[in-house]
Amino acid sequence: MSLPLEGRSAIVTGAGRGLGRAEALELARLGAAVVVNDYGQSAGWGSPLPERSRGLGGGSGAGSAAPAEQVAAEIRAAGGRAVAHTGDVADFARARELVALAVDAFGSLDILVNNAGILRDRMVFSMSEDEWDSVIRVHLKGHFNTIRFAAAHWRERSKASAGPVYGRIVNTSSEAFLAGSAGQPNYAAAKGGIVGLTTSTALALAKYGVTANVICPRARTRMTEDVFAGIAVPDEGLDPLAPEHVAPLVGYLAAPAAARVNGQLFVVHGGMVAIVERPRVQAKFDSKQDAFSYAELDAILTPHYASRPPGETFAATEVLTLKHD
């Protein structure tokens, strides 16, 4: 019996440790050849970072390219195929190089999993320009860069074959975007941007046979060690916050079985997968004149919001209560 990803090739960014590592190992277990990407210098992604600003998949290596190569070696030791790449995906040229490596090493690229990221948490009134720019650069630009070159590869293959090709993109957003994390305006903005990038990409590439989906994982990694510090690791059984809860969904979305899954957003953690509905129009008001006036809006909107629950916003804070039953 063949494996679902046998003969396919994949890129996983930020895959030196944590979530990215688990995803790379899962894709390899399902039969894919994997390019394991992780920034391999002690400075971390981009410019020098504070202690908590590490890659989502474990961040930088301790002064070497070891994390990415160690995961690649782990895959090869288990009988799979893998190569390491240590470039910064937020660098346009290095992202081009990453996609080219997958094509050169394995003949083509079929799957792209974007996972690399950093944290620079601060309240919006205290955030520096660098703290904003660095997070947007690594998360949002990093996602765009790899998608840009993978999409061009698939478009050229589709044109050459005069038909659809096999392409899968799995991007990484966060519940911080859905719920509105007060101390993470840069991170929430970047993760919200990734959702918009994903839905745009899903529509743009569907005709070429490519799907693009986005996950909001909850996992205990080096980047989130402070976030989940108060949640103890159980003495027995798999940690509900283990990255291994997330990796199977990534494997599924990368597989042929998910051909009809496109432009979707999933929350995943602790043995649970939730599909998030797209935004719905909650209310609609029409002016009785050619255009609204202040007075008319006041007469309509003020009583409307007076009847709404206090503190309710567009943020979907209920996602934070989701758990495995």
Side-chain angles (χ1 to χ4, degrees), residues 3-158:
L3 297 170
L5 297 181
E6 189 171 333
R8 305 294 182 188
S9 62
I11 289 171
V12 183
T13 70
R17 297 186 181 90
L19 192 55
R21 172 183 173 274
E23 293 167 346
L25 293 176
E26 176 69 5
L27 294 179
R29 189 187 69 80
L30 295 176
V34 184
V35 179
V36 180
N37 163 267
D38 203 288
Y39 193 66
Q41 298 180 12
S42 59
W45 293 87
S47 57
L49 307 175
E51 181 65 17
R52 285 194 62 223
S53 297
R54 295 165 172 146
L56 192 61
S60 63
S64 73
E69 180 51 50
Q70 287 175 357
V71 175
E74 191 174 354
I75 291 171
R76 293 192 295 265
R81 294 190 298 159
V83 295
H85 179 271
T86 58
D88 178 358
V89 293
D91 182 291
F92 199 65
R94 298 307 299 273
R96 179 194 291 115
E97 173 191 279
L98 174 60
V99 172
L101 175 61
V103 176
D104 291 344
F106 304 124
S108 68
L109 172 65
D110 302 298
I111 301 156
L112 170 63
V113 179
N114 281 309
N115 171 73
I118 63 170
L119 284 182
R120 286 193 175 186
D121 295 351
R122 194 87 63 187
M123 297 298 288
V124 68
F125 43 76
S126 301
M127 183 162 288
S128 70
E129 182 180 16
D130 178 70
E131 287 166 339
W132 174 270
D133 289 347
S134 296
V135 169
I136 298 297
R137 176 184 180 272
V138 175
H139 287 275
L140 187 52
K141 187 182 179 186
H143 272 64
F144 161 73
N145 285 349
T146 56
I147 290 171
R148 159 65 176 83
F149 295 109
H153 169 71
W154 288 320
R155 181 173 179 266
E156 289 303 312
R157 280 174 52 194
S158 179

Side-chain angles (χ1 to χ4, degrees), residues 6 20 55 80 103 113 130 150-151 160-161 168 185 199 217 219 234 247 262 275:
E6 189 171 333
V103 176
V113 179
D130 178 70
S161 64
R168 300 284 188 270
T199 55
N262 192 30
I275 301 170

Side-chain angles (χ1 to χ4, degrees), residues 237-296:
L238 186 63
D239 181 1
L241 292 171
E244 287 74 16
H245 286 296
V246 177
L249 176 61
V250 173
Y252 168 75
L253 293 174
R260 291 178 58 85
V261 184
N262 192 30
Q264 303 297 306
L265 189 152
F266 300 87
V267 174
V268 53
H269 58 81
M272 181 217 72
V273 172
I275 301 170
V276 178
E277 183 100 57
R278 66 184 185 273
R280 300 284 186 178
V281 177
Q282 186 267 321
K284 175 181 176 291
F285 304 100
D286 296 307
S287 175
K288 295 180 181 180
Q289 310 166 82
D290 290 339
F292 274 113
S293 66
Y294 169 86
E296 190 178 14

